[in-house]
Amino acid sequence: MSVATPKSPSSSSGTEELYHTNLLRLQATQLLSESILPISSQIGMLENEVKWAKDVWKYMDNVKTLISSMEEAVLSPDDVVVAPGCQEKNTAQKLRIQLHSDKARRHTNGIQNWTIPFPGGEELKITPINSYIANGAGLTTFSANANVIPTLDLAILLPVKSKFEDGSLGQVGIVGEKDYMNGRYFDKRNILAIHVAKFLAQKKQRTSIGSVHVVNELDGDFKKISLILTPPFDLNKKRNKDGSQKKKKSKQRFRVRLVFGAQYEGIKNTPDTNTGWMPCARLFPDRCNNKVAQINGQEITSDATPTYNNSLAIDMHYIVTSDILASVSSMALKVFSESWALLKIWCLQRGFLRGHDTFSNTTLGLSLAYLYRSKRVSSRMDSIQVFTVWMKFMNDMDWLGNRDRSKKKIGITSKGAVTHSHDLGYHDLDILSSRGTGHRADVVMPEEHMTEKQTIINCIQNRLYASDYKQSVRSGKESGKSKTLLECFKTSTDAPIFLDPSMTINYFGNLSPSFIKEVQVEAGKALECIHFQKDTQTLESQAHRIDAFRQLFLENVRFWRRYDAYLTFDLTKLIIPKSESDKRANKFWGSDTHDVGNYESIVRGLLKMLNIALGDRALALRNLSTGNGEVHSPPFHSKEMKDIGTTVLVESDEIKMVPIRQTAESPSTGFAANVNSPVACEASDINSIVIGVRINKDTCLRVVDRGPPANDIKASADFVSLWGEERAELRRFKDGAIVHAVVWNEAYDKSSNDDYEIGEKVGQTVERIIRHIVGLHFAKPESNLNSFVTFKLKDLTSLVDGRCHESYKGNAKLLNSSDAAHKSMTNAFEKLSLFLKSNSLMDVTGPSEGTSKLGLPLSIDAVEALSPSLRYSCSFPQAPHPLLGSSTKRQKKVAGVVVGDPILIQIRFEGSSRWPSDTNAMGAAKCAMLLQIANGILGMKGRKEQGSSLFDGPINVSPTHIELGYSGYVWQVIVRADQELKMLSDLRNPSKDAVNLRRLLIKRHITASKHHFTIHSLNTKYAAAGPVIRLLNRWVAAHMLSGLMPLEATELIVASVFTDPAPLETPATISCGFMRCLELLGNHDWARSPLVVDPEGHINGEDRASIFSQFETIRGQDFKHGPPLYIISPNDHCEEDDSWSPSFTKHLPERVIMGRICALAKRSNRFLMNSLTCSSDENGSNASWASIFQESPKSLRSYSALFRVDPQIILESSSSATACDHASLLENDVVATPYRRTMDKRYIGPKALKKKMYKNLSSNGSEILYGWAPITTIVQKLRSQFGRYAVFFYNEFCPDVIAILWRPTILQRQPFSAMHSAFCAPIESDWVGNGLVTTNTNDILRSIRCVLQDVVVDTKVLDDKAIYFEQDEHFTLKKNVTKTAKKPKLSSGESTD
C-alpha cells in the first residue's frame, strides 16, 4: 500500500491511518507476547503461567513462615546503628536509616529513652499486594522492565492499638496513641523493618531466604524504607547423556519487596471516624501532624503537612488499594494486564516510572483502573485503544490549572499570583505556582458500582470535613478555610489531585508539577504518533512521517537525552532550609521542610524558583530522579553472586540497595549528612542535584525582564525580592513607564569570563539567570558559583567559538567570533555579487555600446554561493587579509599565504543562442568568459572606477575557475552554463563521457547550489545548527578522517537532527545537538534503512515509499551493496527517471571508513554521556570531553604506518589529533579558546612565508599564495596514486601525522600483466591458477616516502605486510620489523604509552 501524499484526498488519509493503526496493533501484540510476565499469588488463576511460579509460591510461604515465627522483643533506635566494626575509625556514630521523630532525637541525644515493644511475628499481618495480588497485572519480564529483575510486593502490616482501648505498653499493638505525630510512626515502622531484615539475614535463613537489602525509600517516599529479598540461586540438577548429574546455575527470576504498613480498622458509622489509632480528621490535607520545623532545634510549626498526611494514609490502605486493582483485573484481566504493560513500557522508556517524583507501578495501574470504573474504557476495547484513552486522559486533564489561567487577561489570577503580558517584554511572576488554583482538575476513584459523583457524596471523609467546616463557621474560624474537601486538597498541595474512594489518599501526592508537565507533553506526542499525524495544516508535518511503534515503545528518551542543558548542584554548597546555615528570609521556598524533608524541599524550591525566573525561556525543567537515568544491563557494583548478600546493588533505576549484612570491606552506608540525594549513579557524585533544562530557542534571546506596574506595590516588592535589589533596577521604557526591570545583556559578572560570542543564541542568558537565582536564594555565601552553576559540556563551544571580551573589535572580533566572521564574508559576497551583476550590464547608450564595463558579451544574471563559508559551516573561516582589498589596519608583518579553501561561488549568464553547441567549445567559451572577467576587473581598477578598489592580490585564471582577492578574502569563481546542461541532455545517443560529464555538472552546479540554500536556511533558522556542523567536522578531522567523510554528509546529518528530532525536541544548545548527531551516526541502522533528510517537507509519502523501495533494491538481500552512508535529501531527486540516489555520499565514505565512524561515534557519545555526570573543577569547566577529539595511543598503533610531518609546516597544535591542549588559556587577561588560538595562527600563517611591510614603500598582494594547504594537496595525490592499496588518514586542521592502513586485499594472489606490473612481486612456488604475483608493499612504501620526502621528518612502520618465501610455505606476514621496535614518535616529548 502506498503512503498518502499531502495532496491526497481525505479518504485516502483515513485509509492510511487505519492501515498504520492496524500495524501498530500487530506490533504491540508481538511486544506484549514477549513482555508480559504471567504470574499470580493464587494457584490456577492464570493460563500459561511461568514455569517457575511454584518456586515463587514456595518462597513466599517460607518468608511468611519465618516472619511469623519471630519472637517478642523490645526495639529502640539503637537497633539501626551501623555495627562498630563497619564504621570508619574516629567518626561519629552512623545509622542504617535516617530517624526523624522527636522521640528518636531525644533517645539518640540521651535525654529520654524510647522503646518499642514488638509482640512477635504472629501479630503481623502478611499479605500479597499490588500487581502480585491483581493476578500479575503490571508485571513484565526483565527486558521489558528496563533491565530490572521483576519484583513482587509483600505487605507486612503492624498491629495497631485503638485509641478507645485502655491498654498498657505491653498490650498487643505496635502503633497507637499519638504515633502519627512528628514522624513517630515512620520511625517505628522503619526500626521494625531493620529488625525483620536482621532476622531474615541470619545465617540459618540464608539457604531459604537468600540476601536481604535495605532501600531507603518506598515509591519515592523518603520517610519509609523497604526490604528487598533476593532468593538464592538454585542449582538445577540435569542429566548428562551418560546418566550422571550436572549442575547448572539458574538466572535470577524475581525479587520480593517487603512493604511495611499499619493494619486499618476504620469505624465508618461513627460521627468521628478513626483508623483504629488516629482520628481520620488528622488526615485532612490542611492539618499539621509534624510540628517539628528544625532539625537541631525545637521550633514548632503549625503549617499544613499534606504530603506527610498522605504518606500516613497510604500505609493504612495497602489492602484496600490492592483490592481495587484485583477487582478491575478480574473484570478485564487480559486487556487490563496488556494495557498496564504497554503503559509501563512507555513510562520506563521516558523515565516516568518507579522512582522519586515519578509514577509508581501501583499508581500507574490505579490510573488505568480509574478509566474502567469511570466507564471511560470498557472490557471490550483492546489494549491499544485503552492505551490511547489513557494518553488522552492525561493530556486533556488540567492537572495544574495552567490552561484556565492562560485564558485570563492581565491581572490577579489567584492570591499572590501576578501575571503580566509578554508582548512588551513583561515577565511572568507566579509566586504560589499551581497551589491555590481553584480550577485545577480533580479525580476521585469511584467505588465499585458507583459513579464518581456518588462516591464523593457518600464518602465518610468528605462528610466529616463538611461537618468540621460547619463547626468552624459556628465558631467564626472559617476564614481562609476551604468549603469542601476537594478544594482543601487543591489549596494545600501543588501536586495533581487523584483521590482514592475514601478521599484520604492522593495517589498523585508525591508528583511534582514539573513531572506532570512532562507527562502531558509526552502524552500529546503519543497521541500524534497513534493518529499518525502532527499539525495537519502544514505540508512539512504531513511529510515527516512517524514510526509510531518505535517512537512509543522502543526509543529511549530518558533524562540524559531529553534536555538541552544540565546543571549539577552540590548539596554541600546549598543552604538547608530553616537550619543554622540558612541566614536568609526566603519568602518563596523552604516552608515545607517539615512536610517533605530537606532534600525534597530543596529540589522543589529550585524547580519552582527557576520556573518563576526563566518564564517562557524554558520549556521544561526536571531534576534527575531515581528511575530516570540510563538503562544499564548489569548492576553497577556487581560481584560474584556468592557475595551478593554483602554487596551494594544499583540497577537501572539507580536506587541503592544496601545489604543488611555488613562486613569490614562493605562501604559505609550510614548517613552523616542532613541532606542526601537518592540517586545512586556510578559516575556521579551521590550528594548532588542534577537539573535538566529544555530551552525555548525562540524566547531565550530576550534580555529584559520587565516588572509589574509601579502602582502594584505588593507585586513590585515580590519582583525585587525575586531578583534582588542589585539586579532589579528602576528603568524608563519607550512607552513612558518607569518600572523595575532586569537586563541581562550588560556585564553580568565582571569577574567571570566564561561567556561565548555565540552564547546568547544558544541559551547563555538562561545560564546567567539560573546562576543568579541560585546564588541569591540557594547557595551558601562562600560557594563558588562557577564551579557548580554551569551548563555541562558547555566548553565544547570553545572548539568553534571564542570567549567574549570588551576589547575585541574589528579584525580581532572576526578572529574571535565565528558568527561575526561568517557574517563578514556574507556581506563581502553580497557586495561582490552586486559588483559583478551591475558591471556586466550592457551599455546601451554610452561609448561602449553593446558591451559592459567588464567587457562581457553577456550580462550576469545571478551570483550563487556554494562555499561552506557562506552558510556558516566552515570550521575556521577566513579572516580579511590586509593585502587583498581589506580595510584592516596593516601591521609590520603580514601573512604571505591565505590558509584554507577559497570561497567558492558560481555565476550564471543571461540566456543566449550565441553559446556553442560543442562540449569542447563550451569549455573554451567559459574559460574565455573567466579571462574577460579578470581583464575587466584589472581595467576598471586601472581606471579607478567605483567598487574596484576592493580588488587586490593576484588574479589566477584556470580553464575551470578564476581565483581573485576581494574585500580581504580569496574567491574562486566558476561558470554555470545552463545551455551546456541542455545540450548534453538533448543528445540522442550520449557517450559514456557525456553522461558522466552531465552528472558531474549537475552535482557541481545544481545539486550543490540547492544543498547550499538548504543548509543556509537551516543555520539561519536554528542558531545551534551551524556550530554543531563545525564541531562535528572537527570531530571527524580529529580522528584523522578528513577527506574520507564529505562535509555535505555532515551537514545533512545535522539537518536531520534539527528538523526531524522525534521523539525528542529540536536541540537548542551546541552540546545537545552534537551528542544527538553522534547518537544518530552510531545507532542508525545504515545497512537496512536510509536516512531521509527533508527540512522543508518537500518529500511526500509517495516519494518516501519510492526511496525505500529503491534502497532495498540497491542494498540487496545481504544488505552489503550500494553506498554505506545512504542519505537522501530533496536535492537528490532525478526528475528524468524519477529516481532517488545519494549525491554526496555515493562514493564516500567507504564501507570500512563507515564502520570506523559508527564505532567512534558510539564510543564518543557514551563518553560524553559519562562526562555529563562528572563534577566540574573549581573554575566550572569539565575538560574530560577533550578525549573524544584525540586519537588514543592504542588507536595509533592500529595503523600500518605513521609519517610525522615537519613541525615547521604545522601552524598550530590546538587542533592536533595526537598532541593538543583543548583547554582555554588565560593570555594577557583574556581567555583564549582553542578556536581563537587556531584562528590567530592561521591568520599569521607560516613564519617562513611572512611578508614585511614598510611605511615608505607601497605593498600589494601580488605575491600572496591562495589556499595554502600543502599536506592536503599531498594526501590527495597519495590517495589518487595509491588508494587501491591503502587508506590514508590525516587531520586537515593540524596534519602533524599522516597514517596509512593497508587494505585487506593487498596480499591476494593476482594474475600477471605487464601493463599492471608496478608494485608486484612474483610468487616463486606453489602457483594456484593464474595467481602468479602479489603486491610488494616495500615498493609502495618507498614510493610514498618519495612523495613525502619534503614534508616528513620521521616514519614509523607498524605493519608493512612484507612477505618472505620458504620452501614449504606460500608466504607469511612479518609481525614486526624488529624485535624491540620503538613506539611511534608522534611529536616531541610525547609517548604512545
Side-chain angles (χ1 to χ4, degrees):
M1 179 181 293
S2 62
V3 182
T5 67
K7 298 180 181 180
S8 300
S10 58
S11 60
S12 176
S13 177
T15 304
E16 178 191 2
E17 184 173 345
L18 178 62
Y19 163 76
H20 286 281
T21 302
N22 290 334
L23 177 62
L24 178 61
R25 285 193 177 96
L26 292 175
Q27 292 171 319
T29 301
Q30 181 64 29
L31 175 67
L32 290 169
S33 66
E34 301 175 3
S35 302
I36 290 181
L37 188 66
I39 187 170
S40 175
S41 60
Q42 300 179 11
I43 301 175
M45 289 296 297
L46 299 177
E47 298 179 1
N48 302 322
E49 203 153 23
V50 292
K51 297 179 181 179
W52 42 271
K54 294 181 180 179
D55 298 333
V56 176
W57 300 328
K58 181 179 178 182
Y59 185 79
M60 288 292 190
D61 290 339
N62 290 338
V63 173
K64 293 178 184 179
T65 302
L66 286 173
I67 295 177
S68 299
S69 66
M70 294 178 65
E71 299 179 353
E72 296 183 8
V74 178
L75 309 179
S76 72
D78 297 334
D79 291 302
V80 301
V81 176
V82 176
C86 300
Q87 296 193 36
E88 299 177 4
K89 295 182 178 180
N90 302 324
T91 58
Q93 189 181 62
K94 292 188 176 181
L95 307 178
R96 295 182 185 273
I97 59 174
Q98 284 185 311
L99 299 177
H100 304 276
S101 67
D102 50 353
K103 289 190 176 182
R105 190 176 299 116
R106 294 191 191 100
H107 181 92
T108 54
N109 291 335
I111 300 175
Q112 182 181 1
N113 288 335
W114 185 32
T115 59
I116 306 169
F118 173 54
E122 294 181 354
E123 302 299 330
L124 301 175
K125 185 174 182 179
I126 306 174
T127 179
I129 58 172
N130 301 335
S131 290
Y132 187 44
I133 196 67
N135 300 318
L139 293 177
T140 52
T141 59
F142 175 80
S143 57
N145 202 37
N147 291 352
V148 174
I149 297 173
T151 303
L152 311 177
D153 289 341
L154 195 63
I156 301 178
L157 305 181
L158 284 62
V160 299
K161 189 165 45 176
S162 173
K163 70 174 185 177
F164 299 113
E165 298 177 5
D166 186 17
S168 62
L169 292 178
Q171 188 182 7
V172 174
I174 302 176
V175 181
E177 300 176 339
K178 288 193 175 183
D179 284 340
Y180 57 85
M181 296 294 296
N182 300 336
R184 299 167 194 168
Y185 161 74
F186 297 111
D187 281 356
K188 276 191 174 184
R189 75 178 292 284
N190 294 341
I191 292 172
L192 176 62
I194 294 296
H195 179 65
V196 172
K198 290 180 179 179
F199 173 78
L200 294 177
Q202 292 177 4
K203 189 173 183 179
K204 60 182 180 180
Q205 265 84 255
R206 292 175 195 169
T207 56
S208 59
I209 296 299
S211 61
V212 183
H213 288 75
V214 180
V215 177
N216 286 281
E217 61 96 32
L218 177 63
D219 295 335
D221 191 343
F222 303 133
K223 304 179 191 68
K224 309 171 186 178
I225 70 169
S226 58
L227 303 182
I228 301 295
L229 307 183
T230 304
F233 281 82
D234 297 329
L235 296 177
N236 299 327
K237 297 181 179 180
K238 295 186 178 181
R239 297 285 179 181
N240 292 318
K241 291 182 179 181
D242 59 359
S244 61
Q245 290 184 351
K246 65 178 181 181
K247 295 181 179 180
K248 183 180 180 181
K249 184 175 290 187
S250 62
K251 62 180 180 181
Q252 194 71 56
R253 301 287 188 179
F254 68 96
R255 285 198 178 111
V256 174
R257 182 174 67 164
L258 299 185
V259 178
F260 293 81
Q263 297 178 19
Y264 181 69
E265 299 179 1
I267 303 174
K268 296 186 177 181
N269 297 321
T270 58
D272 183 17
T273 61
N274 69 92
T275 63
W277 61 285
M278 66 176 293
C280 280
R282 300 301 306 182
L283 296 177
F284 292 156
D286 61 348
R287 297 298 173 92
C288 178
N289 290 319
N290 190 21
K291 298 182 178 295
V292 180
Q294 280 193 355
I295 297 297
N296 299 319
Q298 297 297 323
E299 182 181 338
I300 302 300
T301 180
S302 59
D303 293 339
T305 55
T307 306
Y308 181 97
N309 303 348
N310 196 54
S311 296
L312 287 171
I314 289 174
D315 266 24
M316 295 183 294
H317 289 79
Y318 283 124
I319 295 179
V320 177
T321 300
S322 300
D323 288 343
I324 295 174
L325 297 174
S327 65
V328 178
S329 176
S330 62
M331 177 184 67
L333 173 58
K334 187 175 185 297
V335 178
F336 181 65
S337 179
E338 290 178 350
S339 306
W340 194 345
L342 290 178
L343 288 174
K344 184 175 181 179
I345 295 171
W346 181 83
C347 288
L348 287 173
Q349 290 294 82
R350 287 152 181 77
F352 290 167
L353 189 68
R354 215 170 46 215
H356 159 247
D357 194 16
T358 62
F359 292 125
S360 68
N361 193 40
T362 303
T363 57
L364 187 64
L366 288 168
S367 64
L368 191 59
Y370 169 80
L371 300 181
Y372 278 93
R373 286 200 169 183
S374 61
K375 309 301 181 182
R376 295 176 184 239
V377 298
S378 68
S379 57
R380 294 188 299 271
M381 299 172 68
D382 63 29
S383 57
I384 287 295
Q385 290 175 316
V386 175
F387 178 85
T388 304
V389 173
W390 189 91
M391 293 296 166
K392 185 171 178 57
F393 166 68
M394 291 301 301
N395 182 65
D396 292 348
M397 294 293 289
D398 191 8
W399 298 104
L400 306 177
N402 294 334
R403 297 172 187 175
D404 177 78
R405 186 184 313 172
S406 63
K407 297 178 183 178
K408 296 189 176 183
K409 298 180 180 180
I410 300 175
I412 307 295
T413 59
S414 61
K415 183 179 179 180
V418 183
T419 306
H420 301 284
S421 171
H422 278 294
D423 297 339
L424 299 177
Y426 286 108
H427 179 73
D428 280 355
L429 180 60
D430 187 357
I431 303 302
L432 296 182
S433 185
S434 61
R435 182 179 297 183
T437 305
H439 298 279
R440 283 196 291 162
D442 54 74
V443 172
V444 178
M445 177 72 75
E447 289 277 10
E448 198 167 9
H449 308 302
M450 282 189 184
T451 65
E452 188 172 348
K453 185 176 181 180
Q454 290 172 340
T455 302
I456 295 174
I457 294 174
N458 296 326
C459 178
I460 299 297
Q461 188 79 348
N462 189 35
R463 288 153 60 183
L464 176 63
Y465 183 87
S467 174
D468 184 73
Y469 178 77
K470 292 178 181 178
Q471 186 176 354
S472 300
V473 172
R474 287 194 294 268
S475 60
K477 299 180 180 180
E478 77 280 7
S479 176
K481 189 176 179 65
S482 302
K483 294 182 179 180
T484 65
L485 184 55
L486 282 175
E487 289 183 5
C488 182
F489 272 101
K490 293 178 183 180
T491 56
S492 300
T493 178
D494 295 337
I497 310 301
F498 177 25
L499 305 182
D500 75 316
S502 68
M503 298 184 71
T504 56
I505 302 175
N506 184 7
Y507 293 134
F508 289 171
N510 288 332
L511 303 182
S512 67
S514 64
F515 172 74
I516 288 297
K517 289 178 184 178
E518 286 287 78
V519 171
Q520 290 187 305
V521 169
E522 289 299 318
K525 293 181 182 178
L527 291 173
E528 292 175 358
C529 289
I530 295 170
H531 298 306
F532 202 65
Q533 62 185 2
K534 287 189 177 180
D535 181 7
T536 56
Q537 301 301 318
T538 63
L539 296 180
E540 178 181 354
S541 64
Q542 293 182 27
H544 288 194
R545 293 308 184 186
I546 304 170
D547 185 349
F549 179 74
R550 171 170 291 277
Q551 182 169 332
L552 289 172
F553 304 114
L554 300 184
E555 293 286 348
N556 180 2
V557 287
R558 287 196 170 195
F559 181 80
W560 295 112
R561 288 177 169 84
R562 292 177 61 83
Y563 301 99
D564 296 311
Y566 300 89
L567 301 99
T568 299
F569 301 95
D570 189 348
L571 283 169
T572 62
K573 297 182 179 180
L574 301 180
I575 59 175
I576 300 175
K578 298 185 178 180
S579 66
E580 295 179 358
S581 63
D582 187 7
K583 305 296 184 182
R584 311 169 193 177
N586 285 310
K587 63 183 297 185
F588 303 118
W589 73 283
S591 60
D592 55 353
T593 305
H594 64 296
D595 183 31
V596 297
N598 287 329
Y599 175 81
E600 188 69 14
S601 178
I602 293 174
V603 170
R604 293 188 181 188
L606 269 172
L607 294 176
K608 176 182 176 180
M609 292 294 294
L610 295 181
N611 267 309
I612 293 172
L614 294 175
D616 61 352
R617 291 188 181 95
L619 296 174
L621 285 165
R622 179 97 169 98
N623 65 294
L624 174 63
S625 64
T626 52
N628 198 11
E630 288 302 293
V631 176
H632 302 277
S633 294
F636 293 150
H637 306 294
S638 61
K639 296 182 180 179
E640 297 296 332
M641 288 304 178
K642 62 182 180 181
D643 297 327
I644 193 173
T646 57
T647 304
V648 176
L649 300 179
V650 181
E651 293 183 314
S652 290
D653 287 342
E654 294 183 346
I655 298 175
K656 180 187 284 188
M657 294 180 283
V658 183
I660 195 66
R661 281 197 297 127
Q662 295 288 306
T663 65
E665 293 79 16
S666 298
S668 177
T669 55
F671 293 91
N674 287 322
V675 184
N676 294 275
S677 170
V679 182
C681 182
E682 181 182 38
S684 68
D685 297 331
I686 294 178
N687 210 28
S688 61
I689 299 173
V690 183
I691 289 181
V693 185
R694 187 180 303 130
I695 298 172
N696 188 339
K697 63 181 181 62
D698 298 324
T699 58
C700 68
L701 297 175
R702 195 179 72 249
V703 296
V704 177
D705 286 320
R706 183 170 172 175
N711 58 358
D712 194 338
I713 300 176
K714 172 66 168 57
S716 297
D718 287 340
F719 187 86
V720 174
S721 299
L722 174 67
W723 298 109
E725 295 181 356
E726 294 183 0
R727 294 297 302 180
E729 301 175 343
L730 282 173
R731 292 178 178 269
R732 185 185 182 92
F733 288 85
K734 291 182 179 180
D735 59 359
I738 301 177
V739 297
H740 286 94
V742 180
V743 181
W744 299 102
N745 64 342
E746 298 178 345
Y748 169 63
D749 185 357
K750 296 182 179 179
S751 63
S752 175
N753 199 13
D754 64 343
D755 293 342
Y756 289 95
E757 295 280 0
I758 199 176
E760 289 187 358
K761 296 182 179 180
V762 290
Q764 193 164 268
T765 302
V766 173
E767 183 186 20
R768 291 176 180 176
I769 293 174
I770 294 175
R771 184 177 302 167
H772 174 74
I773 291 296
V774 172
L776 183 64
H777 296 281
F778 294 91
K780 295 179 180 178
E782 66 274 11
S783 301
N784 179 12
L785 292 180
N786 287 340
S787 65
F788 72 102
V789 190
T790 303
F791 285 167
K792 295 294 183 181
L793 301 181
K794 169 187 173 181
D795 285 339
L796 282 170
T797 310
S798 65
L799 298 182
V800 294
D801 203 20
R803 296 279 184 89
C804 296
H805 198 272
E806 56 186 7
S807 64
Y808 290 148
K809 297 178 181 178
N811 207 45
K813 182 74 171 180
L814 299 181
L815 292 173
N816 191 64
S817 171
S818 179
D819 256 20
H822 282 95
K823 288 179 180 178
S824 176
M825 287 187 290
T826 301
N827 293 334
F829 167 71
E830 292 174 354
K831 291 190 292 185
L832 177 60
S833 175
L834 180 62
F835 175 88
L836 293 175
K837 288 190 290 185
S838 61
N839 290 290
S840 66
L841 297 176
M842 297 300 146
D843 190 354
V844 182
T845 58
S848 319
E849 184 177 352
T851 61
S852 62
K853 291 183 179 180
L854 289 174
L856 293 172
L858 298 175
S859 61
I860 298 175
D861 276 353
V863 181
E864 299 173 343
L866 301 177
S867 172
S869 300
L870 298 177
R871 56 178 185 259
Y872 299 88
S873 296
C874 183
S875 296
F876 296 105
Q878 291 185 34
H881 196 286
L883 298 183
L884 297 180
S886 170
S887 59
T888 305
K889 184 179 179 180
R890 299 189 178 184
Q891 303 172 351
K892 293 182 179 180
K893 288 186 177 182
V894 297
V897 300
V898 176
V899 181
D901 295 331
I903 304 173
L904 179 64
I905 62 175
Q906 67 178 5
I907 55 176
R908 299 172 62 182
F909 291 96
E910 63 178 335
S912 173
S913 60
R914 289 182 286 178
W915 287 95
S917 58
D918 179 72
T919 55
N920 293 329
M922 182 67 72
K926 292 195 293 184
C927 182
M929 289 290 193
L930 294 175
L931 281 170
Q932 184 56 47
I933 290 175
N935 292 331
I937 291 174
L938 292 175
M940 292 183 65
K941 189 175 179 181
R943 296 190 299 270
K944 297 183 178 179
E945 295 194 26
Q946 183 179 3
S948 62
S949 61
L950 294 178
F951 289 94
D952 205 346
I955 300 179
N956 305 323
V957 182
S958 74
T960 58
H961 63 270
I962 178 175
E963 291 181 348
L964 50 87
Y966 178 81
S967 191
Y969 300 104
V970 180
W971 305 82
Q972 185 178 98
V973 185
I974 61 176
V975 176
R976 170 181 171 178
D978 293 334
Q979 291 80 358
E980 183 178 17
L981 291 171
K982 186 177 184 302
M983 176 189 64
L984 291 172
S985 62
D986 291 341
L987 295 176
R988 293 185 178 181
N989 296 311
S991 64
K992 186 176 180 181
D993 291 340
V995 172
N996 292 334
L997 176 61
R998 183 172 180 275
R999 290 176 179 174
L1000 178 64
L1001 292 176
I1002 290 175
K1003 179 181 177 180
R1004 178 187 300 170
H1005 297 296
I1006 300 178
T1007 307
S1009 178
K1010 291 180 179 178
H1011 174 80
H1012 174 87
F1013 286 106
T1014 298
I1015 302 302
H1016 184 271
S1017 175
L1018 172 82
N1019 291 337
T1020 52
K1021 184 177 181 180
Y1022 304 103
V1028 171
I1029 292 174
R1030 303 194 289 270
L1031 187 61
L1032 189 59
N1033 193 34
R1034 287 211 52 176
W1035 176 83
V1036 170
H1039 292 286
M1040 303 177 67
L1041 298 171
S1042 296
L1044 300 175
M1045 174 78 166
L1047 174 61
E1048 291 84 357
T1050 301
E1051 292 173 322
L1052 289 174
I1053 288 171
V1054 175
S1056 177
V1057 167
F1058 276 83
T1059 60
D1060 193 12
L1064 301 168
E1065 301 291 337
T1066 300
T1069 60
I1070 297 173
S1071 59
C1072 178
F1074 179 62
M1075 290 184 67
R1076 299 262 188 93
C1077 291
L1078 293 179
E1079 186 174 6
L1080 177 61
L1081 266 174
N1083 296 332
H1084 185 79
D1085 190 356
W1086 297 104
R1088 289 174 170 80
S1089 178
L1091 180 65
V1092 181
V1093 183
D1094 188 18
E1096 302 296 334
H1098 294 153
I1099 299 177
N1100 57 36
E1102 186 177 350
D1103 293 335
R1104 203 168 282 262
S1106 177
I1107 291 170
F1108 276 82
S1109 176
Q1110 294 177 31
F1111 169 80
E1112 292 173 357
T1113 303
I1114 294 173
R1115 272 288 187 263
Q1117 294 182 353
D1118 55 357
F1119 303 102
K1120 293 183 179 180
H1121 304 287
L1125 187 62
Y1126 203 100
I1127 303 179
I1128 294 293
S1129 71
N1131 309 320
D1132 296 327
H1133 184 225
C1134 179
E1135 296 181 357
E1136 294 180 355
D1137 55 0
D1138 196 26
S1139 62
W1140 296 83
S1141 177
S1143 299
F1144 302 105
T1145 61
K1146 189 171 185 178
H1147 304 291
L1148 291 176
E1150 299 179 54
R1151 193 168 302 279
V1152 63
I1153 301 300
M1154 187 62 197
R1156 185 182 182 88
I1157 290 173
C1158 292
L1160 287 169
K1162 281 184 179 180
R1163 292 177 56 188
S1164 299
N1165 188 46
R1166 186 164 54 248
F1167 190 86
L1168 289 179
M1169 195 68 70
N1170 293 334
S1171 298
L1172 277 176
T1173 62
C1174 295
S1175 298
S1176 304
D1177 59 22
E1178 60 181 4
N1179 295 320
S1181 66
N1182 182 0
S1184 60
W1185 53 263
S1187 300
I1188 71 168
F1189 292 92
Q1190 293 180 351
E1191 285 282 84
S1192 65
K1194 182 179 179 180
S1195 177
L1196 290 173
R1197 286 193 289 270
S1198 67
Y1199 294 109
S1200 301
L1202 301 173
F1203 303 93
R1204 188 162 73 89
V1205 178
D1206 188 348
Q1208 295 184 0
I1209 300 178
I1210 307 303
L1211 295 179
E1212 56 82 38
S1213 61
S1214 294
S1215 303
S1216 173
T1218 58
C1220 62
D1221 183 7
H1222 289 304
S1224 297
L1225 306 178
L1226 189 63
E1227 300 176 355
N1228 300 323
D1229 296 329
V1230 177
V1231 177
T1233 64
Y1235 171 82
R1236 175 58 195 266
R1237 298 199 300 270
T1238 301
M1239 287 293 291
D1240 286 342
K1241 295 292 185 180
R1242 291 168 70 92
Y1243 178 70
I1244 296 172
K1247 185 177 181 180
L1249 297 178
K1250 287 184 179 180
K1251 295 176 64 67
K1252 293 184 178 180
M1253 307 295 293
Y1254 300 96
K1255 292 183 179 180
N1256 57 342
L1257 296 178
S1258 59
S1259 300
N1260 57 55
S1262 60
E1263 298 179 358
I1264 300 296
L1265 298 179
Y1266 295 159
W1268 189 80
I1271 304 303
T1272 298
T1273 304
I1274 289 177
V1275 171
Q1276 291 174 352
K1277 182 178 180 180
L1278 290 174
R1279 286 173 176 169
S1280 64
Q1281 292 184 3
F1282 308 103
R1284 57 180 295 209
Y1285 305 109
V1287 183
F1288 293 85
F1289 301 85
Y1290 85 112
N1291 178 355
E1292 62 177 316
F1293 302 127
C1294 182
D1296 53 349
V1297 174
I1298 300 175
I1300 67 171
L1301 185 64
W1302 298 119
R1303 295 188 181 274
T1305 59
I1306 193 172
L1307 290 182
Q1308 289 182 352
R1309 295 169 179 265
Q1310 309 166 18
F1312 175 74
S1313 171
M1315 295 181 61
H1316 303 91
S1317 59
F1319 309 122
C1320 288
I1323 298 176
E1324 298 180 359
S1325 62
D1326 197 13
W1327 295 342
V1328 177
N1330 197 21
L1332 305 179
V1333 297
T1334 186
T1335 305
N1336 189 336
T1337 56
N1338 291 331
D1339 285 352
I1340 297 177
L1341 283 174
R1342 280 192 289 268
S1343 299
I1344 292 174
R1345 290 193 188 100
C1346 183
V1347 175
L1348 297 174
Q1349 62 181 346
D1350 295 330
V1351 297
V1352 169
V1353 296
D1354 191 13
T1355 303
K1356 180 63 182 178
V1357 178
L1358 300 173
D1359 182 8
D1360 63 351
K1361 292 284 192 243
I1363 61 174
Y1364 66 93
F1365 308 100
E1366 294 185 4
Q1367 187 174 1
D1368 298 326
E1369 297 182 1
H1370 306 318
F1371 57 87
T1372 58
L1373 299 180
K1374 277 188 178 181
K1375 294 183 178 179
N1376 244 323
V1377 178
T1378 59
K1379 292 183 179 180
T1380 58
K1382 295 181 180 179
K1383 303 291 177 65
K1385 185 177 180 182
L1386 305 179
S1387 62
S1388 58
E1390 186 191 11
S1391 173
T1392 58
D1393 290 330

